Amino acid sequence: MKYISQENAPILEALEKMKSARLVPFDVPGHKRGRGNKELTDFLGERCLSVDVNSMKMLDNLCHPVSVIRDAEELAAEAFGAKHAFFMVGGTTSAVQAMVMTACKRGDKIIMPRNVHRSAINALILCGAVPVYVNPRMDPVLGISLGMSVADVEQAIRENSDAKAILVNNPTYYGICSNIKRIAELAHEHGMLLLADEAHGSHLYFSDKLPVAAMHAGADMAAISMHKSGGSLTQSSLLLVGDRVSHGYVHQIINLTQTTSASYLLLVSLDISRRNMALHGEKLVDRIIAQVQYARDEINAIGDYYAYSKELVNGDSIYDFDITKLAVYTRSIGLAGIEVYDLLRDEYDIQTEFGDIANLLAYVSVGDREKDIERLVSALAEIRRNYRQTGREMLKAEYISPKVVCGPQESFYGDKESLPIGDSVGRVCSEFVMCYPPGIPILAPGEMVTEEILRYIRYAKKKGCQMTGPEDMNLQRLNVLKL
């Protein structure tokens, strides 16, 4: 057996070997190494199209890996401290859904924070599991949802001892971490699995200066967005599995929904990015930490803005903070985060990750440069100087606790009717309404529509938030369960 180490990239090596073989393609894809679509080849490049290939013996098959993909997944598992790793080409959405569908069947309960990504609730619609929401604590000034309090998790367990799993965000979009190690211990003490949505935490595995990574804290499964902070191509992710879960069963679940025609561009990007982080991750993360700290100090020196960090830590609902997250509170200059987001893009050609009604998030990762950080800081200073407003009435940013009437699957597939959104108060919503990004639902299927929620939706739309989810994309009407 050939010895492989973290210095290897098995899928990359196999693709290079395939190219040297000069195969004549009588298989798919139909562009035939780019020759059949000149415009696409001119745009993406011949080197890219030449490895946009189908599964074949020398390249293995993601649905049933026995050679190079298997080797690449074993190296990923080793790098991230997992028993097994799966390469996912449907984004972390598919990894989150595979976790939930592995842990839960129809009617099973799963404990989760309400500020989960829509992918987790989508998984409940698919498998029929029922959420037990732990409403997150809220920072009254910043208007952001925090982590799950251990006491709140303990209460949820006492009241739902038959739950199959607990899902934790590690970290949240804003960098907030719960006490995942203690929550994992509680889950295991009560025969439950601990699942982690680590879409924003792939870098946690490569630095001891950051909050603990899920698999290091005892999680049973973790969904990792390598494309967010690990440097791989968009839509490429990892699903990590511990030794309390059958990886064979997980693979069966993945194959229910994942494509049988996996892109080798995505697969090789995972392989190369894993090698890069395994060999150089600590150094890369140190640079990110330094860049963000510099930006945070400079932004706070501008005045009015508040770029927050570990000073928020309270040992419970904010057990730890990911200091690579550059989140900035903007309401103190009289502008919503989404308004600053729009100004940066439209006036300064700077694309940040997202803005909500109180905060802006600039995502700093392995590819950022010091001069870009300087440009962001300078633009924020100019926005404060040129656009600052005082005495402006702004909606208080706060978490709205949902009134859950029934499970997501029951509501989504139930008999429904479309109403003008203003007439939907008091009815049970049967679809999603959310700002994207970050993709955390304001309303989810099975939840009561309230006047408070509609006021928040109107305000978010007015400020420029992109509202997604409902069948009526203009959000003039809303689907609700028939009475």
Side-chain angles (χ1 to χ4, degrees):
M1 178 180 175
K2 178 185 175 184
Y3 174 75
I4 60 173
S5 72
Q6 292 296 335
E7 295 185 353
N8 289 104
I11 298 174
L12 172 64
E13 293 158 15
L15 285 169
E16 289 175 336
K17 184 178 180 181
M18 178 210 71
K19 288 182 70 173
S20 68
R22 301 181 67 184
L23 292 173
V24 178
F26 283 103
D27 60 352
V28 295
H31 61 67
K32 305 291 182 175
R33 313 296 195 265
R35 292 191 297 272
N37 193 334
K38 184 179 184 301
E39 185 178 5
L40 183 64
T41 305
D42 289 345
F43 182 69
L44 294 179
E46 186 276 333
R47 292 185 66 184
C48 176
L49 272 292
S50 70
V51 292
D52 181 37
V53 294
N54 195 27
S55 298
M56 60 185 77
K57 186 173 182 180
M58 70 172 66
L59 297 181
D60 209 356
N61 188 306
L62 187 62
C63 294
H64 186 74
V66 295
S67 58
V68 295
I69 295 177
R70 179 200 61 196
D71 292 344
E73 289 182 337
E74 287 178 356
L75 288 173
E78 179 182 86
F80 285 85
K83 185 73 172 179
H84 196 88
F86 293 95
F87 281 15
M88 307 294 293
V89 295
T92 308
T93 287
S94 64
V96 169
Q97 291 174 351
M99 283 197 309
V100 174
M101 293 168 67
T102 296
C104 301
K105 301 178 179 64
R106 182 177 176 84
D108 287 345
K109 295 178 182 177
I110 178 170
I111 298 169
M112 60 172 62
R114 176 56 181 77
N115 59 322
V116 290
H117 189 264
R118 68 175 294 178
S119 58
I121 302 177
N122 281 344
L124 304 183
I125 293 174
L126 292 172
C127 72
V130 179
V132 174
Y133 290 128
V134 174
N135 288 326
R137 305 293 172 92
M138 192 79 181
D139 186 291
V141 175
L142 303 178
I144 61 173
S145 299
L146 307 179
M148 290 195 292
S149 164
V150 169
D152 290 345
V153 174
E154 288 176 327
Q155 180 179 346
I157 292 173
R158 283 195 302 271
E159 295 174 354
N160 301 274
S161 59
D162 56 340
K164 301 298 183 183
I166 302 173
L167 187 146
V168 179
N169 296 319
N170 193 60
T172 69
Y173 228 136
Y174 301 94
I176 306 297
C177 293
S178 303
N179 187 349
I180 189 171
K181 189 172 189 299
R182 179 58 189 142
I183 295 173
E185 292 170 352
L186 286 169
H188 297 157
E189 288 168 9
H190 292 84
M192 303 175 188
L193 296 177
L194 193 284
L195 317 179
D197 180 347
E198 250 174 354
H200 302 281
S202 64
H203 54 291
L204 301 184
Y205 289 84
F206 303 99
S207 176
D208 58 8
K209 298 172 184 174
L210 299 177
V212 64
M215 299 309 292
H216 298 166
D220 298 297
M221 303 179 75
I224 308 288
S225 281
M226 277 297 280
H227 67 93
K228 286 188 171 71
S229 58
S232 63
L233 291 178
T234 296
Q235 204 175 303
S236 59
S237 297
L238 296 173
L239 177 56
L240 306 178
V241 179
D243 56 11
R244 292 165 54 93
V245 180
S246 165
H247 73 264
Y249 181 63
V250 176
H251 203 180
Q252 286 183 316
I253 295 294
I254 290 171
N255 282 341
L256 289 176
T257 57
Q258 183 154 261
T259 178
T260 56
S261 302
S263 167
Y264 276 87
L265 298 174
L266 299 180
L267 295 176
V268 75
S269 81
L270 282 170
D271 199 21
I272 293 170
S273 299
R274 179 274 313 157
R275 180 172 69 177
N276 188 40
M277 294 302 289
L279 297 180
H280 311 295
E282 184 175 5
K283 181 180 178 181
L284 291 169
V285 173
D286 279 349
R287 190 180 72 183
I288 296 168
I289 291 171
Q291 287 177 330
V292 173
Q293 187 57 52
Y294 171 78
R296 192 179 287 122
D297 291 343
E298 292 295 306
I299 291 168
N300 286 333
I302 293 170
D304 292 325
Y305 291 116
Y306 176 33
Y308 38 94
S309 187
K310 288 179 78 75
E311 71 277 358
L312 297 180
V313 170
N314 61 23
D316 187 25
S317 57
I318 311 176
Y319 184 76
D320 208 345
F321 185 85
D322 176 8
I323 55 176
T324 71
K325 295 291 184 289
L326 183 55
V328 184
Y329 178 71
T330 66
R331 285 165 63 97
S332 42
I333 66 167
L335 296 176
I338 185 62
E339 291 174 308
V340 177
Y341 169 96
D342 286 340
L343 285 168
L344 285 169
R345 184 195 59 233
D346 297 340
E347 302 297 328
Y348 298 91
D349 294 324
I350 295 173
Q351 181 64 54
T352 51
E353 177 66 12
F354 82 90
D356 59 24
I357 66 172
N359 302 270
L360 174 81
L361 180 69
Y363 215 101
V364 182
S365 190
V366 294
D368 286 286
R369 304 171 298 180
E370 281 72 13
K371 65 179 182 180
D372 297 329
I373 299 290
E374 293 282 4
R375 184 171 166 184
L376 172 64
V377 172
S378 296
L380 288 173
E382 280 196 26
I383 288 171
R384 177 183 178 271
R385 184 166 61 248
N386 296 333
Y387 297 94
R388 184 173 184 269
Q389 300 187 36
T390 58
R392 189 182 186 203
E393 183 180 353
M394 301 188 76
L395 181 70
K396 183 180 179 183
E398 58 184 352
Y399 172 76
I400 302 174
S401 179
K403 298 179 181 178
V404 180
V405 178
C406 60
Q409 186 184 67
E410 179 184 350
S411 176
F412 186 82
Y413 289 114
D415 290 336
K416 64 190 75 171
E417 60 181 327
S418 174
L419 295 179
I421 191 166
D423 297 339
S424 65
V425 173
R427 302 292 293 273
V428 179
C429 187
S430 64
E431 57 186 351
F432 287 99
V433 179
M434 71 200 80
C435 294
Y436 187 85
I440 297 168
I442 300 168
L443 269 174
E447 296 176 358
M448 181 76 71
V449 183
T450 66
E451 186 56 51
E452 184 183 20
I453 288 171
L454 292 190
R455 187 163 67 98
Y456 183 95
I457 290 171
R458 293 188 194 103
Y459 184 83
K461 282 184 66 179
K462 181 181 177 182
K463 291 300 181 185
C465 291
Q466 182 182 355
M467 310 302 292
T468 67
E471 185 175 337
D472 175 11
M473 294 180 67
N474 294 318
L475 202 52
Q476 300 298 314
R477 304 182 70 84
L478 194 65
N479 288 336
V480 297
L481 286 182
K482 283 186 177 178
L483 295 175

